[in-house]
Amino acid sequence: MSPPSPPPAGLSHHPDFLRLWAAQAVSAVGSRVSRTALPVIAIVSLGADASGVAVLSAVSTAPAVLVGLFAGGLVDRSRKRPLLVGADLARAALILSVPIAAWTGTLTLLQLSVVAALVGMATSLFQIADNAYVPALVGQDHLVKANARLEGTEAAAEIAGPGAAGILIQALTAPVTMVVDALSYLVSAALLGRIRAAEAPAVPAGGGGDGGASLVEDLRVGLRHGLGHPVVGATFLAMAAHALLLGGVFSALYMLYLLEHLRLDTTTVGLIISVGGIGALGGSFLAGWLGRRLGAGPAMILSLFMSQASCALIPLATQLGRLAVPALVVHQLIGDAFLMAFMIHAVSARQSILPLHVLGRVDATLHVLTGALLPAGTLAAGWLAGRLGVEATVWAFVIAGFAAPLLLLRPAVWRLRAA
């Protein structure tokens, strides 16, 4: 790719970044639409029971983790933009197959599950390629701003997407809504296709002194560069701890705790969770402010600590009576805002520190690591709750979760001033 040099006015006048940003915005909303519509089709059109919906949910995420085993090397050894366009076109075709099958009377739960799995795999490939493409497109001086805008768009899509999906499903039916999602991926592919920056030739297998193209070698390169650098390695370990502890307890117990332990109704729970999207959107602005005031390293440490500290409001809600719901809302606002700020700085640091030709493998390795630890934490939280009770287990995981920010307390992270 030709050397990235955004105009002096910044990213707002960088046409290629604006195309990438618009593409991501369109597909982000579309993916939320399909995430809502697929289980509706399974339940309403196919009569799926709880186990069928659970299988549909599982296959939409589990195969995506496996993609990380293979995608890193592919991304590093390929031009990134064709992979992004290809992933969008694949998702469009897969999604479009659902309404076609529904209209012809041939749709089955098996097809829905296969579509969910393949779309999840294409999305995983897109995310890994996107993370490797951004630094080459915008340059290191603009990474934090670029990542803040991209992550802020994801947060906004999380707020607006499910509501838009509900309206579309009500007005158009779920199969027609899937057509809207397929069109969103086609629009995204068209926008990506209009990026004008010439992409540099990809590093061939064995290029850059990082060994051959074997899966084992790709994982070794990802781990070596991911864990070997004092800053990137600290963020790797912190993200892994967060996935294992906080991700695990949220997946296993958060809904159960709110519905059964606090006796909240589903409408209230849904509104509480939706506030997290607002918090994450705020975090996309908070990241830049913290980075300017504190520097990238201290901003990461403070952000992850504040996000973790806010989690104490979850088990405390039991003792707060009428203030339980406000406490949970505050947690969603503060926790997601600071977690988003941490993620933006962590991704930006990884993109600015590591050589471009290993970014795909490092991102893929992190994807596999956190993806494997999340279900492990979920199972551990469920097992422990059966012995200690739900509230005690939530407290245990919240306290243990402080290991994540503590893993960032390295001199190299503290001294990092710019990502």
Side-chain angles (χ1 to χ4, degrees):
M1 180 177 290
S2 57
S5 54
L11 293 176
S12 296
H13 293 80
H14 189 314
D16 284 335
F17 173 74
L18 293 178
R19 292 181 183 108
L20 177 67
W21 189 15
Q24 185 235 26
V26 172
S27 63
V29 174
S31 67
R32 270 68 177 185
V33 170
S34 62
R35 188 180 69 189
T36 304
L38 277 174
V40 171
I41 293 173
I43 295 168
V44 175
S45 300
L46 301 177
D49 56 14
S51 61
V53 176
V55 169
L56 184 64
S57 176
V59 299
S60 68
T61 55
V65 176
L66 298 178
V67 170
L69 291 171
F70 303 94
L74 173 66
V75 167
D76 283 337
R77 289 185 283 271
S78 306
R79 295 178 187 269
K80 314 301 183 285
R81 189 163 64 99
L83 289 177
L84 296 172
V85 173
D88 271 340
L89 293 177
R91 289 186 288 185
L94 289 164
I95 291 295
L96 196 58
S97 73
V98 174
I100 291 174
W103 294 331
T104 58
T106 59
L107 183 64
T108 64
L109 188 59
L110 175 61
Q111 180 183 343
L112 271 189
S113 299
V114 171
V115 167
L118 293 177
V119 168
M121 294 168 72
T123 298
S124 180
L125 174 62
F126 185 97
Q127 291 170 343
I128 294 169
D130 185 53
N131 281 339
Y133 187 52
V134 169
L137 185 67
V138 305
Q140 294 188 359
D141 292 343
H142 297 267
L143 276 177
V144 172
K145 288 183 179 179
N147 284 320
R149 293 188 184 188
L150 294 172
E151 293 296 337
T153 303
E154 289 288 339
E158 191 64 34
I159 298 169
I167 295 172
L168 288 171
I169 291 170
Q170 185 70 29
L172 303 176
T173 73
V176 177
T177 299
M178 297 293 284
V179 176
V180 175
D181 185 23
L183 290 175
S184 75
Y185 288 124
L186 292 176
V187 171
S188 175
L191 288 166
L192 291 168
R194 293 185 61 222
I195 291 176
R196 295 289 178 255
E199 194 169 354
V203 175
D210 287 315
S214 72
L215 173 60
V216 173
E217 185 63 21
D218 284 342
L219 290 173
R220 186 190 68 80
V221 170
L223 285 171
R224 178 161 64 85
H225 285 276
L227 295 176
H229 192 280
V231 173
V232 178
T235 63
F236 245 55
L237 294 175
M239 290 179 185
H242 186 273
L244 177 66
L245 298 169
L246 263 297
V249 77
F250 266 87
S251 296
L253 302 179
Y254 188 70
M255 290 294 289
L256 181 65
Y257 177 75
L258 267 58
L259 293 172
E260 299 293 334
H261 201 73
L262 296 180
R263 303 291 182 183
L264 301 179
D265 59 75
T266 54
T267 301
T268 301
V269 171
L271 290 173
I272 290 171
I273 294 173
S274 68
V275 171
I278 299 173
L281 182 60
S284 67
F285 297 97
L286 177 65
W289 183 83
L290 285 174
R292 290 189 298 272
R293 294 295 297 267
L294 304 177
M300 278 195 288
I301 295 170
L302 176 65
S303 295
L304 195 53
F305 178 84
M306 290 296 296
S307 178
Q308 184 60 39
S310 73
C311 292
L313 291 170
I314 302 172
L316 280 174
T318 306
Q319 316 299 326
L320 295 177
R322 294 181 178 179
L323 295 177
V325 171
L328 294 169
V329 168
V330 169
H331 160 254
Q332 289 283 345
L333 281 172
I334 295 178
D336 282 31
F338 279 102
L339 182 61
M340 175 64 77
F342 163 74
M343 293 299 296
I344 288 170
H345 281 291
V347 170
S348 299
R350 186 162 70 246
Q351 291 171 335
S352 64
I353 290 170
L354 296 179
L356 292 179
H357 68 271
V358 302
L359 267 180
R361 280 168 285 183
V362 172
D363 285 333
T365 302
L366 178 62
H367 189 78
V368 171
L369 182 64
T370 55
L373 288 174
L374 178 59
T378 301
L379 293 174
W383 179 83
L384 196 60
R387 285 149 181 78
L388 301 181
V390 172
E391 184 179 350
T393 301
V394 173
W395 267 119
F397 273 72
V398 167
I399 293 170
F402 279 99
L406 289 176
L407 287 167
L408 293 174
L409 294 179
R410 296 185 183 183
V413 177
W414 187 258
R415 290 194 299 266
L416 184 66
R417 287 295 175 263

